[in-house]
Amino acid sequence: MDNIRLILIFTLLFILLLIYQQWQIDYGQKPVNPAPVATTPLPADGNPVTSQANGLPTVMDKTHQATALPDVPSSQTLLPHQAIVSVETDVLKVAINTVGGDIRQMALPKYPVSLEEPDRPFQLLNDSLPNVFVAQSGLLPAEYAPTHQAIYQVNATQYRLADGEKTLEVVLTWRNEQGIQVDKIYTFTRGSYVVNVKHRVHNNGETPWQVRQYAQFQRTQVAEQGQSSFIHTYMGGAIASPSSLYEKLSFSDISDDKLNQEKRQGWANGWAAMIQHYFVSAWVPNKEEVFNYYTNVIKQGQRYVLGFYGQLETIEPKATHEFNLQFYAGPKIQDDLAALASGLELTVDYGWFWFISQPLFWLLSLLHGMFGNWGWAIIVLTLMIKLAFFHLSATSYKSMANMRRVQPRLMSIKERYGDDRAKMNQALMDLYKKEKINPLGGCLPILVQIPVFIALYWVLLESVELRQASFILWLDDLSRPDPFFVLPLIMGATMLLQHKLNPAPLDPVQQKVMMALPLVFTVFFAFFPSGLVLYWVVNNSLSIAQQWVITKKVVGEVKLD
């Protein structure tokens, strides 16, 4: 076993894993519609709570009777639709529907859909088929409190954050015949993707009023626009629970009612989010308050629901009470997410080696601050990683150089013993012992480096900072494949040169396989983000230089096999 063979084997297995993940998305078992009602844990007041078929958690009376509000479709959307309140800040374009005061649409002007359409902002939330994704909040129980299907009144339908203003408030109002008034207040802040959502309840009646707040997402499962078929990133739900700062709830988990089946009790310091590549939307309640979390599936339109509801509050006559939430919808900027809620920064999903990925991203960001270019930052980071593993790599290359030095004697042993594998292996072991060569000497250094490679892979794939980041010349977006395939071809050439520097395998079949692998990987990497291929090109080039010097020192003369 030699160094390059181990590298190629591990890399091939890694790419096969990515292909398998994509195959599961395209051809694997699809979610099925569960029963419309799923029981969740009892709240503090003892009243059972269910998730209705329209996704609304409803407190029922002691006879377990409740009337579900209809979920009326229209020609454009599966959701009830009335007047639209348009809100525009420097970083958000929002459409709020007066039905429930829901956030039905949200676009991000700072993040264009593509470089070819710089004036078209990325649409994160949307209420039109097939990609339904809306953020809803309200008060319960549904019999007399304003849910996400109540009708609100507004004084204006156009709001814009003016120059010089730091915040913008949008107020929607609901009233009933018992003298209850609820003001749903959205507060937008300049330069921020965090929206404060407040339900201010005025009890102008003569009797106490008991309600609780809730918030939830509804979305359909659709493929992300523009994502490569060779790259799979997580899309689905996530929560923070007492057992984990970051726990995924995939669409299949929601279909299987996994969260509700576990009969969890409520907890504080949590959040609920819907995640996709580069972007996240999250409801964040007050840290000190206890909330219960639930999931559901709405059959009509196959919409998945993830949300939470709070504890019952009693509002005395002539009193006022405020329910507060924070809503985030925007890019996965780790510092902003960490400041908003514990564990929310983990929605930048770096996988198993996140504890390695996060320091690598910190270092990459530091280098970007120095050079002002993500491409040069990747090159310098690759150089630093190579220097960190310099001695380990040197050990591996020395082992291969020694193997190359005795290559003629290895071939002679193979010819002498032919098909007698036992005698041939014994002769090989005697030769290794005599020459003080460890044929496995190149394995351990590479095994140590594999987690770092995987961690850096996810950094370059998941970090929104590299989205539409330019490098030089034709490489104007490091998150997309090289449009002219120059980097993949260079990478293939470096892999071929590395293969030539290594001792040829004794088995003719292995020789043919090893010769074919550079071509195979060139084809694969032609569809990978150019930032990843740039890392491979630089890493391979540095490896070739180091291996060339060591091989020449050990062997005396380097001839490419």
Side-chain angles (χ1 to χ4, degrees):
M1 181 184 297
D2 55 50
N3 192 3
I4 186 62
R5 188 182 306 171
L6 191 64
I7 293 175
L8 295 177
I9 289 173
F10 272 95
T11 310
L12 180 60
L13 290 174
F14 186 58
I15 292 179
L16 289 175
L17 175 62
L18 297 179
I19 297 173
Y20 172 76
Q21 290 175 328
Q22 187 63 37
W23 183 88
Q24 285 288 91
I25 295 173
D26 295 335
Y27 304 106
Q29 184 178 1
K30 300 298 182 182
V32 296
N33 293 334
V37 177
T39 302
T40 59
L42 293 180
D45 59 1
N47 289 330
V49 177
T50 65
S51 294
Q52 296 179 1
N54 62 5
L56 180 68
T58 303
V59 177
M60 300 190 296
D61 60 25
K62 298 300 183 181
T63 62
H64 290 205
Q65 299 296 318
T67 302
L69 297 177
D71 202 11
V72 183
S74 68
S75 57
Q76 292 82 21
T77 175
L78 295 172
L79 304 172
H81 182 85
Q82 290 227 347
I84 293 296
V85 179
S86 298
V87 184
E88 185 173 351
T89 73
D90 58 328
V91 296
L92 294 173
K93 289 185 177 180
V94 182
I96 301 173
N97 200 300
T98 54
V99 176
D102 296 344
I103 299 179
R104 295 289 185 86
Q105 297 185 22
M106 181 173 285
L108 311 176
K110 299 290 186 181
Y111 292 86
V113 170
S114 65
L115 293 174
E116 291 75 24
E117 299 177 276
D119 297 327
R120 181 185 169 196
F122 180 81
Q123 190 80 21
L124 183 55
L125 270 64
N126 183 48
D127 64 350
S128 300
L129 290 171
N131 187 17
V132 175
F133 181 21
V134 297
Q136 302 171 317
S137 60
L139 302 178
L140 294 170
E143 288 81 359
Y144 58 77
T147 69
H148 61 267
Q149 293 180 322
I151 307 298
Y152 282 85
Q153 304 298 319
V154 291
N155 294 325
T157 57
Q158 297 284 339
Y159 291 84
R160 184 184 180 91
L161 184 64
D163 293 340
E165 290 185 347
K166 293 184 177 180
T167 60
L168 174 65
E169 273 196 356
V170 178
V171 181
L172 302 92
T173 302
W174 174 91
R175 297 181 180 89
N176 68 6
E177 297 177 353
Q178 289 71 41
I180 304 297
Q181 176 179 321
V182 177
D183 295 325
K184 188 170 187 176
I185 305 170
Y186 287 97
T187 303
F188 299 86
T189 305
R190 179 175 297 277
S192 176
Y193 295 97
V194 179
V195 181
N196 292 309
V197 183
K198 179 184 300 182
H199 288 84
R200 180 181 292 157
V201 181
H202 306 274
N203 185 356
N204 300 316
E206 302 298 328
T207 59
W209 205 59
Q210 289 189 320
V211 290
R212 70 182 79 224
Q213 73 170 335
Y214 74 95
Q216 65 180 29
F217 293 106
Q218 285 192 37
R219 82 172 303 172
T220 52
Q221 182 181 4
V222 295
E224 289 193 52
Q225 183 179 4
Q227 187 170 5
S228 170
S229 299
F230 287 84
I231 300 295
H232 169 63
T233 57
Y234 178 71
M235 172 187 275
I239 61 171
S241 67
S243 59
S244 175
L245 286 175
Y246 172 59
E247 181 177 344
K248 293 180 183 178
L249 286 173
S250 66
F251 292 117
S252 60
D253 289 335
I254 295 175
S255 291
D256 295 337
D257 204 25
K258 177 181 177 181
L259 180 61
N260 297 332
Q261 288 176 0
E262 293 181 3
K263 305 295 182 185
R264 304 182 184 215
Q265 299 301 314
W267 60 82
N269 199 27
W271 46 263
M274 282 287 183
I275 304 169
Q276 61 195 71
H277 196 199
Y278 294 135
F279 302 99
V280 61
S281 300
W283 282 111
V284 182
N286 289 338
K287 295 180 181 180
E288 298 79 12
E289 298 181 24
V290 175
F291 285 80
N292 292 72
Y293 292 73
Y294 62 90
T295 58
N296 194 23
V297 176
I298 302 173
K299 289 184 177 181
Q300 186 183 30
Q302 193 67 18
R303 285 168 285 160
Y304 298 85
V305 178
L306 171 62
F308 53 73
Y309 60 88
Q311 304 303 303
L312 199 64
E313 299 286 346
T314 300
I315 305 171
E316 299 296 334
K318 311 306 179 184
T320 299
H321 183 81
E322 291 184 352
F323 297 93
N324 293 283
L325 294 169
Q326 288 182 299
F327 175 68
Y328 182 94
K332 295 179 185 177
I333 301 175
Q334 295 185 52
D335 290 342
D336 293 350
L337 296 174
L340 183 59
S342 298
L344 193 56
E345 73 278 7
L346 297 177
T347 57
V348 184
D349 196 344
Y350 288 146
W352 294 340
F353 299 109
W354 60 268
F355 54 92
I356 303 176
S357 296
Q358 288 187 342
L360 288 176
F361 174 75
W362 175 84
L363 184 55
L364 186 66
S365 300
L366 185 66
L367 293 171
H368 174 260
M370 296 171 59
F371 296 100
N373 184 292
W374 286 105
W376 290 114
I378 292 172
I379 291 174
V380 176
L381 178 62
T382 307
L383 176 60
M384 295 174 70
I385 293 175
K386 199 66 182 173
L387 289 174
F389 289 107
F390 181 84
H391 292 293
L392 280 174
S393 299
T395 301
S396 176
Y397 296 144
K398 286 178 182 177
S399 176
M400 283 191 295
N402 284 317
M403 292 287 291
R404 185 186 183 93
R405 179 170 55 84
V406 299
Q407 183 76 5
R409 297 163 68 181
L410 296 177
M411 296 299 297
S412 175
I413 290 174
K414 181 178 182 298
E415 293 173 0
R416 185 187 312 163
Y417 293 102
D419 296 332
D420 193 337
R421 304 288 297 181
K423 290 185 177 180
M424 183 178 70
N425 289 335
Q426 183 59 48
L428 290 175
M429 291 300 103
D430 292 341
L431 175 62
Y432 293 150
K433 185 176 180 180
K434 179 181 179 181
E435 296 292 334
K436 297 181 180 180
I437 296 175
N438 181 4
L440 301 180
C443 296
L444 181 58
I446 300 304
L447 287 174
V448 173
Q449 296 177 60
I450 289 295
V452 177
F453 159 70
I454 296 176
L456 184 58
Y457 167 87
W458 285 111
V459 167
L460 300 179
L461 183 63
E462 271 286 304
S463 301
V464 69
E465 289 81 358
L466 270 71
R467 182 181 184 267
Q468 298 178 4
S470 63
F471 180 32
I472 55 173
L473 302 176
W474 73 98
L475 295 173
D476 55 1
D477 187 352
L478 291 172
S479 67
R480 294 195 304 182
D482 185 335
F484 301 111
F485 308 109
V486 175
L487 278 180
L489 289 173
I490 296 175
M491 191 214 68
T494 60
M495 292 187 69
L496 182 61
L497 185 55
Q498 277 187 303
H499 170 71
K500 294 291 186 179
L501 282 172
N502 291 317
L506 299 180
D507 187 351
V509 176
Q510 288 188 26
Q511 292 181 19
K512 293 179 181 179
V513 171
M514 299 299 286
M515 280 293 296
L517 281 178
L519 176 62
V520 172
F521 278 92
T522 299
V523 174
F524 274 128
F525 276 75
F527 301 95
F528 273 43
S530 54
L532 288 171
V533 187
L534 176 63
Y535 161 75
W536 269 79
V537 168
V538 176
N539 183 71
N540 284 0
S541 301
L542 294 173
S543 298
I544 289 170
Q546 185 182 10
Q547 187 175 0
W548 184 284
V549 171
I550 292 175
T551 302
K552 187 175 182 180
K553 183 178 179 181
V554 173
V555 179
E557 183 181 1
V558 181
K559 293 182 180 180
L560 300 181
D561 292 332

